[in-house]
Amino acid sequence: MRTVRTVAELRAALKQPRREERSIGLVPTMGFLHDGHLSLIRQARAEHDEVVVSLFVNPTQFNEASDLAAYPRDERRDAALAAEAGADLLFAPPVEEVYPTGFATEVRVGGPLTESLEGVQRGAGHFHGVTTVVTKLLNMVQPDTAYFGQKDAQQALVIRRLVRDLDLPVRIEVLPTVREPDGLALSSRNVRLQGEDRRRALALSRALQAAESDLAAGVRDAAELTAGLADVFSAFDVEPEYIALVDPETLAPVATVDQETLLAVAAKVGEVRLIDNTILNSNGNGRA
Ligand code: AMP
């Protein structure tokens, strides 16, 4: 695996594969790789001739300077893990390569997809930062497929909308959330959970599980389900930022879970902000 740092180097490295019509898969990441990222890289490896992993902690999608400053980084470790999972190229540009002096363009998805849930908590600007950098990465790499995780369900919807609206020539693949054995969704931020907070962080995945069993027991009313979930959060002494039962395509709130519904939760545990979600079916089967 080669590491490249400039768009020119990246394009040069992809010239030959492109000339030979080799297919290209892209996995965009902010690094500090874990098994969730590696599942995306392995899938890209299985489906494509060339696998590009980008490693870029995108400053424009952080709404809090302290979160950006505390974001964990370890490029050496990431390079070893990406190579082992099958990456051919690691694109790890410095900030000024992505946002050179004079940079003045933003790509925005408007409406409820960016203004609800995370868009309320972090501001829609978070998603504008994501769609701007993802558009740039797609233009830089021009992959056949780009891989994203269901862990960031709203982000995946926003990116699908972006690609449809701008006719970007790429297939978007969204893969299931990878979890710790106890249910905690893997996140680069989990390393920042201190002491007791690691256990308290289980509030999120346990709440999702509780919703699945409540649903299996016949509870369909969104308000009743939400109240049950709030109890799980308080049992873990965690204050949820939101517990949302919404349409999995539009993110419009649902009153009754009588078809596929996205259950999304967010909470700050200690200093660390965590999100998780599952798709609920009215037959009571969840799939995270
Ligand atoms: P990040 O580095 O956090 O920006 O994540 C890069 C990609 O990995 C995004 O598409 C995430 O949705 C995905 N991802 C993060 N955590 C997980 C996880 N636990 N399981 C599956 N995919 C994940």
Side-chain angles (χ1 to χ4, degrees):
M1 189 190 72
R2 262 183 71 198
T3 298
V4 293
R5 303 203 181 273
T6 67
V7 179
E9 280 177 291
L10 174 71
R11 292 220 164 108
L14 290 172
K15 201 166 176 180
Q16 183 75 9
R18 220 184 295 284
R19 191 180 294 139
E20 293 170 1
E21 295 191 6
R22 289 163 64 75
S23 68
I24 301 172
L26 168 66
V27 181
T29 82
M30 298 206 300
F32 217 74
L33 301 183
H34 52 63
D35 273 341
H37 299 113
L38 300 183
S39 73
L40 306 183
I41 300 173
R42 290 191 194 109
Q43 184 78 1
R45 174 76 283 157
E47 295 179 346
H48 291 286
D49 300 319
E50 295 289 325
V51 175
V52 182
V53 174
S54 63
L55 167 48
F56 181 62
V57 182
N58 176 34
T60 66
Q61 73 188 72
F62 282 80
N63 47 307
E64 279 182 20
S66 58
D67 189 27
L68 174 60
Y71 203 83
R73 300 167 195 242
D74 188 343
E75 185 185 316
R76 262 225 315 223
R77 177 175 165 277
D78 286 344
L81 289 171
E84 203 179 295
D88 298 300
L89 268 182
L90 183 70
F91 177 50
V95 172
E96 58 277 16
E97 179 69 11
V98 179
Y99 302 112
T101 307
F103 186 88
T105 303
E106 194 175 57
V107 181
R108 293 183 175 211
V109 171
L113 287 188
T114 55
E115 288 164 6
S116 61
L117 307 178
E118 290 297 287
V120 172
Q121 298 299 323
R122 306 187 67 175
H126 159 67
F127 286 116
H128 304 333
V130 169
T131 46
T132 301
V133 82
V134 168
T135 303
K136 283 173 67 73
L137 290 168
L138 293 175
N139 283 333
M140 291 167 183
V141 177
Q142 294 179 253
D144 296 279
T145 309
Y147 295 84
F148 296 89
Q150 177 64 18
K151 156 85 181 348
D152 298 279
Q154 188 174 5
Q155 170 176 281
L157 283 177
V158 169
I159 287 166
R160 284 195 190 282
R161 186 78 257 161
L162 165 79
V163 164
R164 273 201 296 273
D165 287 358
L166 295 185
D167 305 300
L168 300 179
V170 64
R171 187 172 71 95
I172 299 300
E173 203 174 319
V174 179
L175 297 184
T177 302
V178 177
R179 297 176 180 282
E180 297 284 3
D182 64 4
L184 178 68
L186 296 187
S187 163
S188 304
R189 291 185 172 87
N190 289 352
V191 292
R192 293 176 50 214
L193 291 166
Q194 306 277 343
E196 183 61 7
D197 288 344
R198 172 61 184 79
R199 196 194 61 79
R200 293 174 65 230
L202 287 177
L204 288 87
S205 54
R206 291 291 157 82
L208 303 181
Q209 288 166 6
E212 281 158 11
S213 26
D214 288 353
L215 203 58
V219 184
R220 295 279 178 279
D221 181 64
E224 196 179 337
L225 284 164
T226 306
L229 271 65
D231 289 345
V232 176
F233 274 93
S234 58
F236 281 90
D237 192 24
V238 172
E239 182 76 39
E241 284 186 3
Y242 59 76
I243 298 172
L245 287 158
V246 296
D247 181 287
E249 299 296 325
T250 65
L251 301 182
V254 304
T256 311
V257 179
D258 49 12
Q259 50 199 339
E260 271 205 343
T261 300
L262 174 67
L263 166 58
V265 297
K268 218 165 170 192
V269 179
E271 291 300 303
V272 189
R273 188 168 182 279
L274 299 174
I275 60 173
D276 203 349
N277 71 83
T278 189
I279 302 274
L280 298 173
N281 298 304
S282 51
N283 61 15
N285 296 325
R287 57 176 170 80

